[in-house]
Amino acid sequence: MALKIVKGSIDRMFDKNLQDLVRGIRNHKEDEAKYISTCIDEIKQELKQDNIAVKANAVCKLTYLQMLGYDVSWAAFNIVEVMSSSKFTYKRIGYLAASQCFHEGTDVIMLTTNQIRKDLSSPHQYDTGVALTGLSCFVTPDLARDLANDIMTLMSHTKPYIRKKAVLIMYKVFLKYPESLRPAFPRLKEKLEDPDPGVQSAAVNVICELARRNPKNYLSLAPLFFKLMTSSTNNWVLIKIIKLFGALTPLEPRLGKKMIEPLTNLIHSTSAMSLLYECVNTVIAVLISLSSGMPNHSASIQLCVQKLRILIEDSDQNLKYLGLLAMSKILKTHPKSVQSHKDLILQCLDDKDESIRLRALDLLYGMVSKKNLMEIVKKLMLHVDKAEGTTYRDELLTKIIDICSQSNYQYITNFEWYISILVELTRLEGTRHGHLIASQMLDVAIRVKAIRGFAVAQMATLLDNAHLLTGNTQRNGICEVLYAAAWICGEFSEHLEDPMQTLEAMLRPKVATLPGHIQAVYVQNAAKLFATVLRKHEGETDSHAAQETSQLLIDRLPLFVQSANLEVQERASCILQLVKYIQKLQQKKVEVAEEVTALFAGELNPVAPKAQKKVPVPEGLDLDAWINKPPSESESEDEKPKAVFAKEEPKHSRSRHTEVDEKELARRREARKQEQANNPFYIKASPSSQKVYDAPGVEHIPVVQIDLSVPLKVPGMPMSDQYLKLEEERRQKEKAERKKKEKKKKREKRGKERKADSGPESEEDITPAHQVDIVTEEMPENALPSDDDDKDPNDPHKALDIDLDKPLADSEKLPVRTHRPEVLKSPAEDRVNENIPQETKKRSGKETKEKKKGKEKDRKRSKEEKKKKKHKEVEEELLESQPEEAVQSEETKEAATPPTSTSAEEETAPSSAAAVDTSSAAAPESEPDEPKDAEPEDTKSSKHKKKKQKKEKEEKEKKKKKRHHHHHHHHHHHHSDAGGEDSVQNGTVEEEEPLPPMSNYSLLAENSYIKMMKEDADQVYDIQGNHQDESKVVVSVIFENKSDSFLKSMEFNVLDSLNSKLQRPEGAGAHDSLTVPFQLPPGISNEARFVFSVQSIVMPQKLKGTLTFIVKSDESSTHEKLDFKLHFTCTSYLITTPCYSDAYAKLLESGDLKGSSLRLEGINMPFHHLLARICFHHHFSVVERIDSCASMYSRSIQGHHVCLLVKTSDQTVSIDAKCDEPSLLGNVLDEIKQTFSKC
Amino acid sequence: MIKAILIFNNHGKPRLIRFYQYFAEDMQQQIIRETFHLVSKRDDNVCNFLEGGSLIGGSDYKLIYRHYATLYFVFCVDSSESELGILDLIQVNLLQFVFVETLDKCFENVCELDLIFHMDKVHYILQEVVMGGMVLETNMNEIVAQVELQNRMEKSEGGLSAAPARAVSAVKNMNLPEIPRNINIGDINIKVPSLSPF
């Protein structure tokens, strides 16, 4: 034995170690592969020995070879052997190798479970640490499931070194074994407040990762994070938290409001750029989330922009880059604030760093205005000249075109200028974007009628100098522009000064070197020009000129007749014969000009790219029905319906204004056929196979792009113009709609309106639009779908994250559990629903099968949870769903209706956030089973697991059934969930069955200048405790400027009553008005609050008031006023106050309360909606709920108790109410009644 | 999340690779090549961020890199990581030196050769900084302390190559070609203006 050891160590002396291997590889640069293969052979030998040191050495070398790209998976078993060595040195090598090359497909991983468990519980912290580190890299669903409990235990290890690793690895475990999230979450949350900063940071890290994927479920942690943010000094942690808030604020704008102040403080105080930058980013996120209707925090924006300016001005390229990046985010919502830094951004265009220049270009896009467009483009053109490298130059070119064409050429005031820019751009060498320029030329020439003369002249020059462009042989290059030039010259040839010259230019022999599709356009348009020339010389006594032209064509066209390109050949030979015939007629002195011109009669109009999709299908037209009996051949099957559809298309949309019936259709089809017959573009299309008609299905862009000379091409071109025509018409209609809207202030669905719109209206619009035939508004709308298209390709990349979503869906329960009990704890209660505690019990039971250690803890926990659960089980979905409502309504409603909190929770951020969180956490609560059912199926594979799964499933189904009994109103979405996989993935309820949006804001008064919205019952708070005499009520009013003018000097005044008085600043008289502390630029809304003091609250109050303001437009300013009535309902004096059922029972028993009741008929809404409404609108909270019966409680600001017992059956709701103040109760009931009569 | 950490030299030779998502070996090599291609053509005075290549991650991912003498340190991260924070993590800061600095401490003036010959040790250090794609520790002192404790433990076990083997390797070392020992990273002071206390 001893001998063996000695022998082993002597052997080892001559084994290569890692350093030797590296050295060897460096010495064999010529035959590296060969050398390595001999090394691998040696390693294989070494691995066969039973000396663990030799093996470890071999594995260490393998790790190095793995880095060089060698597959070492064959040694996986040896790696496991080394991992299980008792020596730390070897173990570490083993785990390192495993972490580098193990993955879910490695089968020996199954063997490691026990070894890892042993290492995790090792008394040596570094054994544990190494195991955790290794596991973090190769954890599989099986390992995660088997080891989750051990790792959980480690989260409370005495050594922070282990704790932080255990906390961090939990994220990986969650990903692989989502079920573990809920049980582990409480402890994870605990670790947020761990005394060790490293552990704390790890916990923040994990929760941030979790929350990033599914922020909604972590809103409940906002208060905790808020606390951490204000207390932590670790910048790394701060950055994480701030980033997290950036993700949370879009979901909860109220959180955003709270964030702004501490964030701006941080921005002012921090010296760390990384932290500053993240703060600015989050403030931007907040501002974006608030921008929909809430006051413009111009100060914060200014601060952000200022700080970003500092970053951009910094000499550090990184800061510059990030500054520009953040700036572009602000740009989307607050373009004006960015525009003032134009100088800086233009400066960045000169930067030597290309990524910075590209960022700056992005910004420019949003900064142009009518005033500065030309200037900016001029600057860009200079850059184009200077730019080295085609990529950047191409980028510049596309940006110039983007900037100019954005929002339907909104910023272009002079189209002659734009055409010249486009022409200038054609002089760029080697650009790939010829087709882009070409399409712009076509677009402008077609849509801007006034510019055609100029455009044609420019294009003629371009054609004349075509040799300058064609020198560039690059495919798809700039010669693409000639396509546009030829077409424009031909189509609008009446504007040509010397058509003869252009004709000559178009028929030069050199043209034959151009790509086929361009030649085809040349030939076709030569014919158009010919017609124009004939017409010009018509009537002249000397027909010499006309004949000369014919001769020119006859001389030159044969060149094209010989073309290899079918399209060119066909057109050329057609036209050649035509011209020959005309020449004969000319010789006979017959006047032919009119007939020839008739070939090209008719005007082509622009059509929106998406126009076809939006054409409504006429009633009675079934596009899927067979028109003829299906032919037996499958080939023609597909085409027929399409062809029919396509044929109808253009006609339809053009005369959409009239009612379309079948006869009409047939008539039109005839008419169109005739029209087509007259139009040379269609002549080609009809005789060729019907496939050609598929072309209209394709948008016109590809037509220009495809470089091949497919016969599809040329018919495609006029087709796309047909689209443009459609677009134009549609735009005009839309314009008319908009006008209508402005008048009526009503929004109707577009589809309906379009049908309803009659022809005459759109015709009216054509005339004014005549000069510059550009209609705004349309482009962005059309652009939107294509934006989506751009995003789509990214989604597959993000699909990797789907797994991450799943665990989170599951997690939705956890925050509920831990959070709720803190909110409300009444030890006395012990009844009601059992199902959720049962569930946890069962789950933990499952776990204990495998993990005896964790058994006790799990049980304890489930007990705890059970307890906690019971208190709130009933209430949660109702109580909590109300703030949720606010969020929803926020999302769905338009501007001006920001969400409001239902109770007095404005004082501090954490408290308000807390209220919010519970909501979102609770909502998903009712659907926790689904993701779990789905998940294991995907991930687990081995047989016995499947069995177990089945069991689990069964259990769950049972549970589900139970739940059905308890919450019968959930029936609906349980079923739908079972069916829809999507919903399983999301696993959230509010998507399934959203409560109808509820808004607290109601219209107060409105005129053509301003709209006032009052929050129904905003923060009502009782400043003087229970003092009976006087209470204060805060009323939030949103002012929205609806006019195009600036509103200023707004003054708000109310006629005080005896009972209610507007609180005025000290020293002000009783009738003085209050100045609203802001001004309103056009389209902006802002919120102001007014405090009223109220004596008695038992009666509703109405106060008359007036708002005066100055309307300031460019020319004048006028004084305007608006009267309104402020209505204080009794409800607004109620505060949502939680009450425990035991206290509630006592209250009712006391007999101090007087009763009253109310019956509501025909209430057609789910019970929980009903309760949610009462909670939301009338500030009640649910005390207890059993089936279709619920007790509710609220308290007035002066301490009156209001108790309700709500019962429902068959659309009838009966409410028995008790209160110590009968008149208050009566009024509240009336208001409840009113609420429900409205819906 | 950090998706990958790559260290390679000016010629694209990998010195350390650490993927936190599984890729097959050939894919790993391709990623290294592409990343090197992207990074190496950039000047030293341009910004250190690159929009993610097509290989790793996609649009959500960024490459954040630093170039020290002969080595590139590239982190591929998603949007949950702070760009500047990662830069700091790679580089230095007044208060918290992290990765490179830690290497510096542990190897007493780190150079490329250290990485070449002690890839395993670099991994062990890295493991104390980043774990499973998440930043574990940013406090340099803590990192150094843990690494040293573990090394001490290894020593007490006799290490992988115990005394005799070391003697042999000293012999092996004798007939070695030139080892450029003076590419010292520690001395190269790339200024990060105003990235102060982080």
Side-chain angles (χ1 to χ4, degrees), chain A residues 391-409:
Chain A
T391 25
Y392 179 59
R393 200 163 43 188
D394 280 355
E395 188 64 33
L396 271 170
L397 189 151
T398 44
K399 268 281 141 32
I400 291 176
I401 289 180
D402 276 358
I403 287 173
C404 292
S405 62
Q406 69 172 311
S407 319
N408 218 357
Y409 308 103

Side-chain angles (χ1 to χ4, degrees), chain A residues 689-751:
Chain A
S689 92
Q690 287 198 318
K691 273 178 192 164
V692 173
Y693 277 110
D694 289 354
V698 188
E699 289 167 29
H700 66 285
I701 302 163
V703 172
V704 189
Q705 275 177 340
I706 300 168
D707 201 19
L708 304 167
S709 42
V710 190
L712 269 178
K713 222 30 359 148
V714 178
M717 175 65 204
M719 285 299 195
S720 69
D721 300 330
Q722 283 273 10
Y723 273 111
L724 293 175
K725 184 171 188 176
L726 257 182
E727 178 186 42
E728 185 190 48
E729 262 179 310
R730 216 164 57 94
R731 271 173 198 184
Q732 275 159 1
K733 270 178 194 164
E734 218 112 347
K735 206 182 186 182
E737 274 171 31
R738 266 188 298 123
K739 278 187 182 167
K740 261 186 168 178
K741 271 182 207 161
E742 275 166 37
K743 283 176 204 158
K744 289 187 180 174
K745 295 281 168 210
K746 273 184 188 173
R747 293 202 172 184
E748 279 175 316
K749 283 200 173 174
R750 195 173 298 138

Side-chain angles (χ1 to χ4, degrees), chain A residues 12 20 89 126 164 318 321, chain B residues 48 51 146 157 160 172:
Chain A
R12 280 182 51 210
D20 298 330
T89 313
Y126 290 115
K164 71 180 179 195
N318 292 325
Y321 176 85
Chain B
N48 298 109
E51 306 290 323
Q146 297 299 347
E157 284 176 351
L160 179 60
K172 289 177 194 162

